[in-house]
Amino acid sequence: MKRELKLIKTIYTLEQLKCEPLSQIAIAGRSNVGKSSLINCLAGQKKLAKTSSSPGKTRSLNFYLILPEKFYLVDLPGYGYAKCSKKEREKWANLIYHYLNNNPYLKAIIILLDSRLSPQKLDLELISFLEQENIKIVPVLTKIDKCTQKEISRQVKNWLPILNTDPKDLILFSSKTGKGKNKLWQKLIDLGKN
Ligand SMILES: Nc1nc2c(ncn2[C@@H]2O[C@H](COP(=O)(O)OP(=O)(O)OP(=O)(O)O)[C@@H](O)[C@H]2O)c(=O)[nH]1
Ligand SMILES: [Mg+2]
């Protein structure tokens, strides 16, 4: 089926964070891991979400409406971006925390993990926070076009016990080649439609 993604709103402050009664699935991960690229890949458009080879591109919460199903994909600012002031980092953390905490419309979070890196401290912290809050995690190992099969298998082995998940539920993804795109769409539709 042909689906459409439309940027509906961009949010920078807590005051702007009013929720409409539509399901949401957020996309989280380290800065530069490929969150905005994943949105473009799903949309089949190159420039819907702004991407950059320098980290810290996305600084707002961006709500993309998926049609015809009518739920939101939310592109979050990345974490672990060192080159900004402590005050600014705290402001983002606060905004994201409030967004995630007690959000009845949030159905799940896609966590993007870089297939070239072993599990990083900030990823592990986010995963345990989400587990504590009982927020469903959809793990996606991305940039797999940059890895050999052997490297991918090694990272899958590293991640499975941490995520406590079945191998079939860890999505191997590449925004560059489109690998994993259909599988991810299917999962999103299942989670977002109710
Ligand atoms: N080879 C390859 N490059 C990718 C992939 N996904 C993203 N990239 C590249 O990685 C860089 C960062 O991508 P973004 O999508 O901007 O990353 P982001 O997670 O949105 O980053 P922030 O907004 O800073 O948090 C860009 O240069 C992308 O072209 C992928 O699957 N394969
Ligand atoms: Mg981004």
Side-chain angles (χ1 to χ4, degrees):
M1 185 205 281
K2 180 91 186 86
R3 294 204 169 78
E4 200 186 342
L5 264 80
K6 258 188 176 165
L7 178 62
I8 302 289
K9 51 186 174 179
T10 293
I11 283 170
Y12 290 91
T13 64
L14 271 177
E15 295 72 50
Q16 297 173 300
L17 198 61
K18 283 189 217 86
C19 283
E20 288 165 60
L22 288 180
S23 297
Q24 301 168 13
I25 299 173
I27 307 181
R30 294 177 66 79
S31 199
N32 216 38
V33 73
K35 299 175 294 297
S36 300
S37 302
L38 177 140
I39 290 203
N40 288 336
C41 176
L42 289 173
Q45 280 175 253
K46 283 210 166 83
K47 290 183 180 164
L48 181 64
K50 290 196 186 88
T51 65
S52 166
S53 54
S54 50
K57 187 67 192 174
T58 308
R59 296 189 170 218
S60 49
L61 271 64
N62 299 305
F63 286 68
Y64 294 88
L65 186 63
I66 296 182
L67 297 167
E69 283 83 3
K70 275 200 155 185
F71 63 90
Y72 282 116
L73 258 191
V74 185
D75 190 11
L76 299 178
Y79 46 84
Y81 172 51
K83 264 198 210 153
C84 67
S85 69
K86 189 167 174 246
K87 204 169 163 206
E88 198 167 4
R89 248 181 302 175
E90 277 170 4
K91 193 179 137 201
W92 292 356
N94 199 23
L95 180 61
I96 293 173
Y97 176 79
H98 277 271
Y99 168 72
L100 296 177
N101 208 22
N102 302 318
N103 178 348
Y105 303 111
L106 186 68
K107 298 295 172 186
I109 292 212
I110 301 174
I111 298 197
L112 250 70
L113 305 162
D114 192 323
S115 57
R116 297 167 304 174
L117 302 177
S118 47
Q120 306 280 299
K121 183 167 170 266
L122 289 170
D123 298 326
L124 301 176
E125 281 174 11
L126 176 65
I127 290 165
S128 53
F129 170 75
L130 296 173
E131 281 172 350
Q132 248 175 57
E133 300 289 316
N134 266 321
I135 299 173
K136 186 176 169 53
I137 295 173
V138 177
V140 173
L141 207 57
T142 194
K143 301 196 185 182
I144 59 158
D145 57 281
K146 293 199 172 198
C147 290
T148 62
Q149 200 54 50
K150 203 171 157 192
E151 286 166 332
I152 296 169
S153 309
R154 196 176 64 219
Q155 292 307 348
V156 168
K157 249 193 218 141
N158 281 337
W159 277 112
L160 286 181
I162 294 167
L163 294 162
N164 196 14
T165 191
D166 206 74
K168 70 169 181 4
D169 291 324
L170 175 57
I171 297 178
L172 304 180
F173 193 85
S174 166
S175 296
K176 203 169 173 186
T177 67
K179 168 116 173 81
K181 179 176 166 173
N182 292 343
K183 191 172 172 184
L184 182 58
W185 257 130
Q186 197 48 59
K187 192 152 248 179
L188 293 179
I189 300 301
D190 286 348
L191 290 164
K193 71 185 172 197
N194 47 51

